[in-house]
Structure formats: C-alpha cells, structure tokens
C-alpha cells in the first residue's frame, strides 16, 4: 500500500511538472493581452470601441482648430486700446459695443466666463461670410459654419428655434453670403437681451472703466 501511494504521488508530481509550462505560457499570454487592453474591456486595443471614440474626439478637436483658422477668426481681434469715451459709449447701446473690435473683444471675454463664447464666434463667422464673393469659398465657409455652430453634434452649437433652422437647411442647398442672416439676427438679439445687461454689471466692464477713468484723471 505504501508503494502504491508513493507511485501515485510521483505520477501527480510529474503531471504537475508537465502542465506548468503550458499554464505559464497561458498566463504570460493573458498578461500580454491585459497590458494592451483598454480601460473598459479585454479585447485588443486597436479594435476597441472606446479607443475609437477617443480617437474621434481628438480628430474633432483638431478639425475644430483647423476650421477656426480657415474661417479667419482670430482668438482676439486686433484693435487699439479703447478710450474712456468709447467704453462709456458701450453703456449707451449694444450696437455701439458691437461696432468696435475693442468692444467685441471685451464682450467676448465676458461671454467666455459664461461659457457662451460660441454666440460671438458665430456672429463673427457670419460677418466674415458676408465679405466673401468667391462662390467656392462661400460654399466652403458656409459648410464650416453649419458644422461648427448649427449642427446638433457640435459642442459649439448655438441656440436657434426650429423656424430658423428650417430656413438654414433650405439655404444650404445653394449657400450664399446671406445663408445665416436669420440665425445671425436671432443670436445678436439673444446676446443683446440676455448677455449684454450682465456684461454692463460685470467686473470685466467695471474694471476697464475704472482703469481708464483713473488714467484720464492722472493725465
């Protein structure tokens, strides 16, 4: 009986020794797959859906940057420093604020703090489109404006009612300098009624007015 037990133990040891390389290889293979797997699954990274989504987001960010450059919209309009008279005039009407680059820059800085800068960007893009005369350039810029500010898939979509959206969709069949006129007016009105009063009471406007007033007194 003791001999048979020893034989049985030896068989088990030999069986374990033979299985070890295969098990180690399987574990090594699993380890490699795990190191290449993404955060949500154990599939190969190159075909994983979550990585595809991440790549699409990165591509969208690159496309947006490229389109802004193509539209000719700078991060900040070039303009001379505003005078005290100009800044006081901004309080008289929204039209006077929007008339000068310095006014638009100050208002745009405020809109950025409210996460609604896309309204000014859209308005500026429409103004840029109106200055174009080349048909192919008009069509390309109209397409970029639509993708950036009208499409519901865009993170910079502006708020427009259904009637204006229908007008835009019809106009996009044959884009012109005035494809977005109704939409531009609606966004202009929105900024006037909603954002402009808050801008006049903001620290951005008051600090600028105070600074220019102090300089005027010193002079």
């Amino acid at each position: 009986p003791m001999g048979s037990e020893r034989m049985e133990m030896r068989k088990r040891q030999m069986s374990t020794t033979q299985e070890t390389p295969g098990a180690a290889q399987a574990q090594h293979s699993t380890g490699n797959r795990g190191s290449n797997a993404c955060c949500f699954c154990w599939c190969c990274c190159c075909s994983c859906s979550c990585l595809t989504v991440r790549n699409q987001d990165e591509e969208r960010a690159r496309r947006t940057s490229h389109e802004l450059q193509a539209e000719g919209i700078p991060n900040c309009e070039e303009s001379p420093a505003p005078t005290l008279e100009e800044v006081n005039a901004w309080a008289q009407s929204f039209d006077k604020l929007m008339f000068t680059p310095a006014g638009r820059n100050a208002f745009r800085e405020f809109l950025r703090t409210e996460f609604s800068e896309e309204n000014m960007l859209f308005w500026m893009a429409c103004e840029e489109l109106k200055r174009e005369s080349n048909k192919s350039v008009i069509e390309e810029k109209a397409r970029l404006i639509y993708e950036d500010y009208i499409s519901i898939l865009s993170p910079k979509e502006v708020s427009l009612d259904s009637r204006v959206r229908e007008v835009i969709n019809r106009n996009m069949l044959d884009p012109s300098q005035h494809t977005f006129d109704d939409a531009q007016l609606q966004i202009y009105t929105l900024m006037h009624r909603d954002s402009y009063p808050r801008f006049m009471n903001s620290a951005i406007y008051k600090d600028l007015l105070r600074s220019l007033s102090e300089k005027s007194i010193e002079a």
Side-chain angles (χ1 to χ4, degrees):
M2 289 291 293
S4 63
E5 288 180 2
R6 289 176 180 175
M7 288 289 293
E8 187 66 22
M9 289 178 63
R10 184 171 298 176
K11 287 180 180 179
R12 290 177 181 174
Q13 291 174 351
M14 291 177 65
S15 175
T16 301
T17 303
Q18 291 173 352
E19 290 176 359
T20 300
Q25 183 176 2
Q27 183 176 1
H28 177 70
S29 174
T30 302
N32 285 343
R33 185 176 62 177
S35 64
N36 289 331
C38 71
C39 52
F40 297 109
C41 60
W42 288 96
C43 62
C44 180
C45 220
C46 60
S47 61
C48 180
S49 61
C50 62
L51 182 64
T52 302
V53 171
R54 186 176 65 188
N55 288 340
Q56 290 174 344
D57 289 340
E58 292 174 354
E59 177 61 27
R60 186 178 295 110
R62 287 194 295 268
R63 181 187 62 80
T64 300
S65 175
H66 170 72
E67 289 174 2
L68 284 177
Q69 293 175 4
E71 292 171 13
I73 299 177
N75 186 48
C76 184
E77 289 185 86
E78 294 184 4
S79 69
T83 65
L84 179 59
E85 181 181 2
E86 287 177 331
V87 175
N88 278 321
W90 299 348
Q92 296 173 12
S93 73
F94 184 59
D95 290 340
K96 291 184 177 180
L97 170 69
M98 293 290 284
F99 181 73
T100 63
R104 291 192 295 270
N105 282 336
F107 187 52
R108 182 175 168 186
E109 181 183 354
F110 169 74
L111 292 177
R112 192 176 295 123
T113 66
E114 293 200 333
F115 305 100
S116 58
E117 185 186 13
E118 66 275 3
N119 290 332
M120 178 64 80
L121 290 175
F122 171 68
W123 185 88
M124 293 170 62
C126 292
E127 289 296 294
E128 182 76 16
L129 179 65
K130 289 177 181 178
R131 292 192 288 268
E132 290 294 342
S133 57
N134 184 286
K135 181 65 174 177
S136 60
V137 175
I138 289 173
E139 292 177 350
E140 177 65 10
K141 288 197 172 186
R143 181 185 66 80
L144 295 178
I145 291 173
Y146 187 94
E147 290 181 358
D148 256 0
Y149 305 108
I150 309 301
S151 171
I152 60 174
L153 300 177
S154 173
K156 296 187 295 181
E157 178 194 6
V158 295
S159 179
L160 299 170
D161 61 37
S162 58
R163 180 193 66 82
V164 171
R165 287 184 174 275
E166 290 177 3
V167 170
I168 291 175
N169 289 334
R170 288 198 301 269
N171 291 343
M172 286 298 293
L173 297 175
D174 185 22
S176 72
Q177 299 101 317
H178 305 288
T179 292
F180 304 100
D181 281 4
D182 287 354
Q184 186 185 19
L185 177 59
Q186 190 168 96
I187 294 302
Y188 189 90
T189 303
L190 175 66
M191 291 191 293
H192 183 191
R193 295 178 178 177
D194 185 59
S195 303
Y196 173 63
R198 291 197 298 273
F199 169 71
M200 297 312 304
N201 291 313
S202 69
I204 291 176
Y205 177 74
K206 290 181 178 179
D207 289 347
L208 178 59
L209 185 62
R210 184 184 306 110
S211 174
L212 291 174
S213 297
E214 291 174 353
K215 289 180 181 180
S216 177
I217 294 173
E218 292 174 358

